[in-house]
């Protein structure tokens, strides 16, 4: 699983720290490349996350433990 910021560099999608180093702000165009036996499944899961805004609820509140209500 590899994420690449257009005209930038590639990072390992399995590492949250690597993903954060892309500094991809809202609206940034990313190229996602998946390889291996679970590539199609991984890509479908990523597409679902983006389609559902990473399951965020705009009107939900978050407690100190990070749980939304």
């Amino acid at each position: 699983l590899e994420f690449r910021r257009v005209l930038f560099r590639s990072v390992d999608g399995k590492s949250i720290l690597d993903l954060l180093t892309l500094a991809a702000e809202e609206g940034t165009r990313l190229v996602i490349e998946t390889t291996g036996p679970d590539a199609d499944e991984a890509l479908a899961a990523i597409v679902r996350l983006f389609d559902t805004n990473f399951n965020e609820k705009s009107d939900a509140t978050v407690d100190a433990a990070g749980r939304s209500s």
Side-chain angles (χ1 to χ4, degrees), residues 1-59:
L1 178 61
E2 181 178 279
F3 284 73
R4 180 169 36 94
R5 189 170 169 187
V6 175
L7 302 174
F8 202 57
R9 63 187 181 91
S10 297
V11 298
D12 183 352
K14 295 178 184 176
S15 167
I16 189 65
L17 291 177
D18 283 354
L19 289 169
L20 291 172
T21 65
L22 287 176
E25 300 173 2
E26 184 176 351
T28 300
R29 186 174 202 161
L30 296 173
V31 174
I32 301 169
E33 182 178 328
T34 57
T35 57
D38 298 326
D40 291 337
E41 195 174 314
L43 186 57
I46 292 167
V47 168
R48 279 192 304 274
L49 283 172
F50 277 93
D51 284 347
T52 61
N53 198 29
F54 289 78
N55 298 316
E56 289 188 6
K57 297 176 184 168
S58 60
D59 59 325

